């Protein structure tokens, strides 16, 4: 007697995973790496990865930890919130760097060391929001905010940024009023980076204060992404901790501290999120990598700071070079270039004049051709813009994290390519 036919449906990935968009800059990196493997020289201006490795003091501390006595090299589990000496150093950092932060907001019991900022996003979003909650994000913003929130079942409100490439209290207030007037769901949260990825735009101290006050008034949980603090060019940084007791602050060792592959970040929590984050960390990650935590204890030593400030000086030189070179592209007006107040990105809007999107000639195609023809890897704005809008295929981002030499070569090749692109668009519009 034969066995009955199996009527079970075939195994397949979850609908949740199928709904999440790719992180497109990583797709660009993959193609750039393929071309390099074929023998091409590539100018990597796509990813926000510092050219330099970890500071020398950090690397030495990691080696010492790995090669020390059995007790020193065990590198077992830490407290779920991380090594206490590291959390003490993070608290001391806030006391030194920022004015007006109440002591209770930066106690070591409020600081959790996370597995990079990405692991911290998962912790924060899971602790703060439920499926169906509506979270505000800037219309030009870090794509993984959208992607992770959507994977968790949250809904998004893409808030249009201003002509200065900012999301301030004015823009958020308009979104709140629109929702109240149209009967839409209220906002449960806002996540925003300052300095911004991709625009580099940075909120002033007063703008951040107004945003915090509005979120508190409207009972909106504000997640302040301060990952690019330390990499700024003349403007004063401020932290949401100075203005709100309910905001959650996000930071990382990947950018200023140049430790991207060490997968280490931190969160400063409001009192009501301490216990939920503790439970989630215990279950999701147990603790951030112990070797990375141990090495990061050196991040605020004088020798380390001196080395890191040299990195910032290189970023500043690269930024100035790019902005100057863009001035020579007369088809792109100055207002189409985001301010680049901080971080290591310049964000550019090609405008309608330099695209013919209906014939497939937008920033995505421009970046593809630039990579294939000239070996310059940039990231199209489709990675950062509101998917429902029409700006993604007009904009693109140049990362200058990879060093001044890379930037100079990339801009030389962009200048060589640019007349061809302009002529191609002009012909397509006939």
């Amino acid at each position: 007697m034969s066995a009955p036919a199996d009527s079970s449906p075939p195994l397949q990935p979850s609908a949740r995973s199928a709904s999440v968009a790719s992180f497109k800059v990583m797709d660009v990196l993959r193609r750039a790496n393929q071309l390099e493997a074929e023998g091409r020289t590539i100018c990597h201006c796509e990813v926000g990865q510092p050219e330099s490795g970890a500071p020398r003091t950090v690397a030495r501390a990691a080696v010492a930890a790995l090669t020390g006595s059995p007790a020193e090299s065990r590198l077992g589990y830490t407290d779920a919130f991380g090594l206490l000496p590291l959390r003490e150093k993070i608290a001391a950092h806030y006391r030194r760097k920022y004015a007006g932060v109440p002591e209770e907001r930066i106690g070591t019991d409020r600081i959790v060391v996370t597995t990079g900022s990405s692991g911290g996003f998962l912790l924060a979003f899971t602790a703060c929001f439920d499926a169906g909650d509506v979270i505000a994000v800037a219309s030009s913003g870090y794509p993984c905010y959208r992607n992770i929130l959507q994977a968790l079942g949250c809904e998004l409100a893409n808030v249009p940024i201003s002509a200065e490439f900012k999301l301030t209290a004015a823009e958020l207030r308009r979104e709140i009023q629109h929702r109240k007037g149209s009967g839409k769901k209220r906002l449960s949260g806002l996540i925003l980076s300052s300095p911004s990825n991709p625009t580099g735009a940075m909120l002033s101290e007063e703008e951040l204060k107004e945003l915090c006050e509005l979120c508190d008034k409207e009972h909106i949980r504000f997640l302040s992404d301060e990952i690019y603090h330390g990499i700024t060019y003349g403007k004063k940084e401020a932290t949401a901790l100075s203005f709100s007791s309910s905001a959650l602050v996000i930071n990382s060792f990947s950018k200023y501290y140049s430790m991207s592959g060490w997968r280490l970040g931190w969160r400063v929590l409001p009192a009501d999120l301490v216990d939920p984050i503790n439970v989630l960390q215990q279950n999701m990650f147990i603790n951030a990598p112990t070797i990375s935590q141990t090495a990061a204890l050196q991040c605020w030593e004088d020798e380390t700071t001196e080395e890191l400030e040299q990195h910032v000086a290189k970023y500043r030189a690269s930024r100035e070079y790019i902005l100057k070179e863009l001035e020579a592209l007369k088809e792109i007006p100055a207002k189409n270039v985001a301010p680049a107040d901080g971080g290591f990105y310049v964000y550019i809007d090609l405008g309608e004049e330099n695209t013919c999107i209906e014939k497939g000639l937008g920033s995505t195609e421009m970046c593809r051709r630039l990579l294939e023809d000239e070996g310059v890897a940039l990231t199209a704005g489709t990675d950062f813009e509101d998917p429902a809008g029409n700006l993604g295929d007009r904009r693109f981002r140049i990362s200058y994290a990879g060093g001044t030499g890379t930037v100079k070569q990339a801009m030389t090749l962009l200048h060589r390519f640019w007349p061809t692109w302009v002529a191609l668009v002009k012909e397509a519009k006939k």
Side-chain angles (χ1 to χ4, degrees):
M1 185 174 180
S2 60
D6 188 355
S7 60
S8 301
L11 294 176
Q12 56 187 0
S14 69
R16 175 190 290 114
S17 67
S19 71
V20 178
S22 67
F23 189 10
K24 295 178 180 60
V25 67
M26 302 310 293
D27 295 335
V28 177
L29 177 61
R30 180 173 57 189
R31 178 56 181 158
N33 287 341
Q34 287 174 348
L35 291 173
E36 278 188 319
E38 294 169 7
R40 296 277 301 277
T41 298
I42 302 298
C43 296
H44 285 280
C45 295
E46 75 279 42
V47 291
Q49 176 166 286
E51 172 193 33
S52 52
R56 291 184 296 272
T57 53
V58 170
R60 289 198 298 264
V63 171
L66 289 167
T67 58
S69 67
E72 293 170 329
S73 61
R74 182 165 175 248
L75 298 173
Y77 296 135
T78 72
D79 183 293
F81 267 34
L83 292 172
L84 179 58
L86 181 57
R87 288 184 282 138
E88 289 172 340
K89 285 183 177 289
I90 292 169
H93 164 70
Y94 281 95
R95 293 188 194 100
R96 286 192 306 270
K97 187 174 179 68
Y98 304 100
V101 180
E103 186 64 28
E104 68 271 13
R105 294 181 192 171
I106 52 172
T108 55
D109 60 322
R110 299 282 194 93
I111 297 169
V112 55
V113 183
T114 61
T115 306
S117 62
S118 300
F121 289 141
L122 186 58
L123 286 173
F125 295 162
T126 309
C128 293
F129 310 124
D130 290 312
D133 283 350
V134 181
I135 316 305
V137 297
S139 60
S140 299
Y142 182 55
C144 295
Y145 298 157
R146 294 187 181 95
N147 297 345
I148 298 172
L149 284 165
Q150 287 182 312
L152 294 172
C154 294
E155 299 175 22
L156 298 175
N158 287 279
V159 181
I161 58 175
S162 69
E164 291 76 36
F165 293 86
K166 294 182 180 182
L167 194 167
T168 68
E171 288 72 42
L172 184 63
R173 189 175 291 109
R174 280 195 289 271
E175 179 68 23
I176 293 168
Q177 291 170 348
H178 167 70
R179 289 182 165 274
K180 288 179 178 178
S182 60
K184 291 184 176 181
K185 285 184 182 178
R186 64 174 295 275
L187 297 176
S188 295
L190 164 69
I191 180 164
L192 181 69
S193 60
S194 176
S196 164
N197 175 13
T199 70
M202 186 172 162
L203 297 181
S204 68
E205 188 171 356
E206 186 59 30
E207 287 171 333
L208 182 59
K209 181 175 183 286
E210 290 176 359
L211 196 60
C212 287
E213 289 173 347
L214 178 59
C215 286
D216 286 346
K217 177 185 175 184
E218 297 290 338
H219 304 288
I220 295 170
R221 179 76 73 180
F222 179 31
L223 281 65
S224 180
D225 184 345
E226 301 173 4
I227 284 174
Y228 292 96
H229 278 208
I231 309 174
T232 57
Y233 311 105
K235 290 194 174 182
K236 183 181 179 182
E237 301 153 322
T239 176
L241 294 170
S242 298
F243 310 117
S244 175
S245 62
S246 64
L248 185 154
V249 165
I250 299 160
N251 214 316
S252 170
F253 290 89
S254 292
K255 306 304 182 182
Y256 176 73
Y257 300 99
S258 199
M259 295 174 64
S260 55
W262 298 64
R263 307 315 303 138
L264 201 65
W266 75 82
R267 300 291 179 271
V268 186
L269 308 175
D272 65 310
L273 291 180
V274 170
D275 288 341
I277 291 284
N278 186 38
V279 171
L280 290 167
Q281 174 85 321
Q282 290 170 352
N283 284 279
M284 290 181 173
F285 301 101
I286 300 181
N287 61 264
T290 305
I291 182 63
S292 301
Q293 292 191 60
T294 303
L297 289 166
Q298 303 300 314
C299 279
W300 294 276
E301 297 300 314
D302 290 344
E303 181 184 345
T304 310
T305 300
E306 182 180 353
E307 182 177 345
L308 295 175
E309 286 301 310
Q310 290 173 0
H311 297 173
V312 176
K314 291 180 183 178
Y315 301 147
R316 182 179 292 106
S318 295
R319 168 186 177 271
E320 291 172 357
Y321 186 85
I322 291 172
L323 294 176
K324 180 180 178 182
E325 290 295 303
L326 287 173
E327 290 176 3
L329 301 181
K330 299 303 183 184
E331 295 83 0
I332 299 177
K335 66 180 179 62
N336 283 25
V337 180
D341 299 323
F344 29 57
Y345 310 111
V346 176
Y347 198 53
I348 301 114
D349 189 340
L350 289 168
E352 293 182 2
E353 301 82 1
N354 301 305
T355 57
C356 187
I357 293 173
E358 62 272 20
K359 294 188 179 179
L361 297 178
S363 62
T364 302
E365 178 63 10
M366 189 198 79
C367 290
R368 187 194 70 78
R369 288 175 181 250
L370 189 58
L371 176 57
E372 299 293 334
D373 297 350
E374 301 288 355
V376 178
L378 308 179
T379 307
T382 48
D383 214 11
F384 310 106
E385 295 292 331
D386 177 3
N390 62 357
L391 293 175
D393 210 18
R394 273 182 28 180
R395 295 176 171 178
F396 67 99
R397 188 189 76 176
I398 303 174
S399 168
Y400 50 89
T404 306
T406 298
V407 162
K408 289 184 175 181
Q409 179 66 11
M411 294 307 292
T412 296
L413 295 171
L414 174 59
H415 274 282
R416 187 169 76 179
F417 169 85
W418 182 248
T420 303
W421 175 257
V422 171
L424 190 66
V425 171
K426 185 177 180 180
E427 180 65 25
K429 289 186 173 185
K430 286 182 178 179

